[in-house]
Amino acid sequence: FLNTGDVFSFSEGGTAAAIISYIGKFESGQGVLNNDGNIYAEGQFDATGYHEFNLMELDNSGTILVAAGRNATAVKANSNAVINNTGRIEAISDYRGLINQEGSSVALSIFNNADITNSGTIIADVAITTDGLAQGLTSSDDIRLVLDNSGTISGLIFGSFGNDNLTNTGSIT
């Protein structure tokens, strides 16, 4: 999928999702999102910019911007993900709970292995989170986060329980 324009999703009374995919095949470019444009999602309660239910490959040189009153997730993968970001990925949430005082915005949420190269900007309360245990994996070696950052990351980073690798020549705050 190639986006060079604008994709908008707005919901005044519920959940907004801009792109949802079940393809998940890397053969012949299937399951690959090349975003050179803008992806916007805004929901009164929840919003997601791009949600891939299978294998994800994302090449973002554009903007993925998500805002929600409660849960805002810019990019979500239910399996392995390869992400190259030279653009902007941002999630904004107005929600502040009693227990979760940090807010409820997540820029990149991956439920398994994540290979992320960032020379752009990633901003959210939680910039990156990986949670392979949610998929029933039993060994900590089964899941990992590999993050190569030369750009700007603003927000918490939750790695996996496996052999994570972080290389940072940019800014992480």
Side-chain angles (χ1 to χ4, degrees), residues 42-111:
E42 182 176 346
Q44 181 179 3
F45 299 113
D46 302 324
T48 302
Y50 171 43
H51 188 171
E52 173 59 65
F53 280 87
N54 294 302
L55 301 173
M56 173 189 283
E57 185 173 338
L58 170 63
D59 188 1
N60 180 57
S61 60
T63 297
I64 301 174
L65 179 60
V66 175
R70 189 173 55 190
N71 298 312
T73 305
V75 176
K76 182 175 183 177
N78 283 23
S79 188
N80 295 337
V82 177
I83 298 170
N84 180 34
N85 180 51
T86 59
R88 183 178 191 88
I89 299 174
E90 183 172 0
I92 303 165
S93 172
D94 294 332
Y95 180 75
R96 297 291 185 263
L98 296 174
I99 296 172
N100 182 5
Q101 293 296 316
E102 286 82 29
S104 190
S105 66
V106 179
L108 302 175
S109 175
I110 294 95
F111 287 139

